[in-house]
Amino acid sequence: MLRLASAGARAIVDMSYARHFLDFQGSNIPRAMQKLVVTRLSPNFREAVTLLRDCPVPLPGDGDLLVRNRFVGVNASDINYSAGRYDPSVKTPFDVGFEGVGEVVALGLSASASYTVGQAVAYMAPGSFAEYTVVPARAAAPVASAQPEYVSLPVSATTAYISLNELGGLSKGTKVLVTAAAGGTGQFAVQLAKKAKCHVIGTCSSDKKSAFLKSIGCDRPINYKTEPVSTVLKQEYPKGVDVVYESVGGAMFDLALDALAVKGRLIVIGFISGYQTPTGLSPVKAGTLPAKLLKKSASVRGFFLNHSLSKYQAAMDHLLKMHAAGDLVCEVDLGDRSAEGRFIGLESVFRAVDYMYMGKNTGKIVVELPRSVNSK
């Protein structure tokens, strides 16, 4: 739109109705980018996903942000997504990756009411395994800077926070068992349960992870490679545990179910032990489940973050405040101790997924994305 200040005055270009506000230099946004795309449905991430190198950089709509990704998070459920398990009707190709942290480089008019170009944000939105991602403004949260620890919050921390608040019934003295406690989401379940003055038990796979769990307040880390978890629970917690935050599945699910106290609550947030199988499941002793629940007046509840999005923003706000106050450790694993070194670039996402399924990580697995080298 053009407006004339007065007769004979120079034209003033009114940009307030422009659809997109580009970054400070404009030309810093390239025409093409790299991204990971699911080209074949399979729980084998390497078979399912292809790195494409000359994809057009997307443009944000009215209520969207265009984020230049600096760090992206790897989740156990990435291979459920690549296998098409969340939506059996999905057709390839489709983008992959759930969360990231980066800077806003363009945004729509409505989104500009809350965000500005250059602002650092953390977000949960599909298609984060890319150099640039369009993110609905409502799915983003402002952060102090584009640092990797913020990647641990949008999926992992919110899952722990909302599920324990909604289903855990935590109070002082509650005995809480967290499986895979040193992982991306387990670390938050441990800390949040301790904040509620619970007694926390955490399973893990190494002495290094046990030491980490102690450092964040876990009362009884159990390295299942050196101590039988069932024996420890029977001997040290003969009356059982009140709450289980369970993400492993298979034999660990059975063990956790047996360890429940009267009126105990088992919260299923995943079952990683089976994700790489054709069915996505590890066998459990489901035939005895009704009898075990009845005997203890116990319950098993599932939790899937997408079903609690109405509580998501409040959870993110609370967790960000906790982190800013120094009350929440956000441990991340960038692969520095892996055989091939730090996870840098989209091509290293494949390595990062393998690293997760080998149980190597302590904290949230994060991949760093360097600035785009594509021609403009």
Side-chain angles (χ1 to χ4, degrees), residues 33-37 58 67 69 72 78 81 94-100 123-135 346 369:
M33 69 172 188
Q34 298 182 20
K35 68 176 179 177
L36 295 182
V37 175
V67 177
N69 291 314
V72 295
D78 286 325
Y81 197 60
F94 56 89
D95 298 345
V96 66
F98 296 133
E99 64 196 330
Y123 68 86
M124 179 179 69
S128 69
F129 291 163
E131 291 177 320
Y132 294 82
T133 302
V134 168
V135 178
L346 287 171
L369 302 187

Side-chain angles (χ1 to χ4, degrees), residues 228-252:
V229 178
S230 59
T231 301
V232 171
L233 293 174
K234 286 174 184 175
Q235 290 179 351
E236 299 183 23
Y237 304 93
K239 293 185 178 180
V241 297
D242 303 300
V243 176
V244 182
Y245 183 85
E246 217 293 278
S247 61
V248 177
M252 186 62 80

Side-chain angles (χ1 to χ4, degrees), residues 40-346:
R40 171 189 170 190
L41 296 182
S42 171
N44 183 322
F45 194 81
R46 290 182 179 272
E47 289 181 357
V49 177
T50 302
L51 174 60
L52 301 183
R53 299 186 182 277
D54 292 303
C55 304
V57 174
L59 290 175
D62 180 63
D64 298 331
L65 313 173
L66 178 64
V67 177
R68 179 189 288 127
N69 291 314
R70 291 291 308 283
F71 298 95
V72 295
V74 173
N75 291 281
S77 50
D78 286 325
I79 67 171
N80 283 335
Y81 197 60
S82 71
R85 288 176 181 146
Y86 292 142
D87 180 4
S89 67
V90 71
K91 304 294 183 187
T92 57
F94 56 89
D95 298 345
V96 66
F98 296 133
E99 64 196 330
V101 166
E103 296 94 8
V104 176
V105 294
L107 69 169
L109 181 60
S110 295
S112 69
S114 303
Y115 293 91
T116 60
V117 166
Q119 189 168 13
V121 295
Y123 68 86
M124 179 179 69
S128 69
F129 291 163
E131 291 177 320
Y132 294 82
T133 302
V134 168
V135 178
R138 66 181 182 278
V143 294
S145 59
Q147 297 300 317
E149 60 264 29
Y150 291 115
V151 183
S152 65
L153 299 177
V155 173
S156 297
T158 58
T159 294
Y161 181 82
I162 299 172
S163 65
L164 288 174
N165 277 351
E166 294 290 303
L167 307 175
L170 303 186
S171 60
K172 184 177 181 180
T174 300
K175 292 180 176 64
V176 179
L177 170 64
V178 180
T179 63
T185 187
Q187 65 171 323
F188 295 110
V190 169
Q191 294 178 78
L192 293 168
K194 285 305 296 179
K195 297 293 182 189
K197 303 186 185 309
C198 299
H199 177 93
V200 182
I201 309 132
T203 69
C204 63
S205 60
S206 72
D207 290 340
K208 174 179 173 288
K209 293 182 182 184
S210 287
F212 167 67
L213 290 177
K214 286 181 181 178
S215 76
I216 60 171
C218 184
D219 298 286
R220 181 54 165 103
I222 306 173
N223 175 359
Y224 62 79
K225 295 288 182 69
T226 59
E227 293 184 281
V229 178
S230 59
T231 301
V232 171
L233 293 174
K234 286 174 184 175
Q235 290 179 351
E236 299 183 23
Y237 304 93
K239 293 185 178 180
V241 297
D242 303 300
V243 176
V244 182
Y245 183 85
E246 217 293 278
S247 61
V248 177
M252 186 62 80
F253 173 88
D254 291 329
L255 184 158
L257 182 65
D258 290 341
L260 282 178
V262 172
K263 296 187 178 179
R265 303 167 296 282
L266 194 157
I267 305 168
V268 177
I269 63 108
F271 29 92
I272 188 174
S273 62
Y275 289 172
Q276 291 179 301
T277 68
T279 63
L281 295 166
S282 287
V284 297
K285 297 174 183 175
T288 60
L289 183 61
K292 289 180 178 180
L293 296 179
L294 180 63
K295 182 180 179 181
K296 296 179 178 178
S297 294
S299 65
V300 176
R301 294 283 299 273
F303 179 84
F304 187 49
L305 183 58
N306 284 4
H307 297 148
S308 296
L309 295 182
S310 63
K311 299 176 176 67
Y312 178 80
Q313 196 58 58
M316 270 296 286
D317 291 345
H318 182 77
L319 292 162
L320 283 166
K321 287 175 183 174
M322 288 182 68
H323 177 62
D327 292 332
L328 192 68
V329 173
C330 299
E331 185 73 12
V332 295
D333 192 330
L334 286 149
D336 294 298
R337 295 184 180 88
S338 67
E340 296 175 57
R342 195 177 179 96
F343 303 131
I344 299 178
L346 287 171

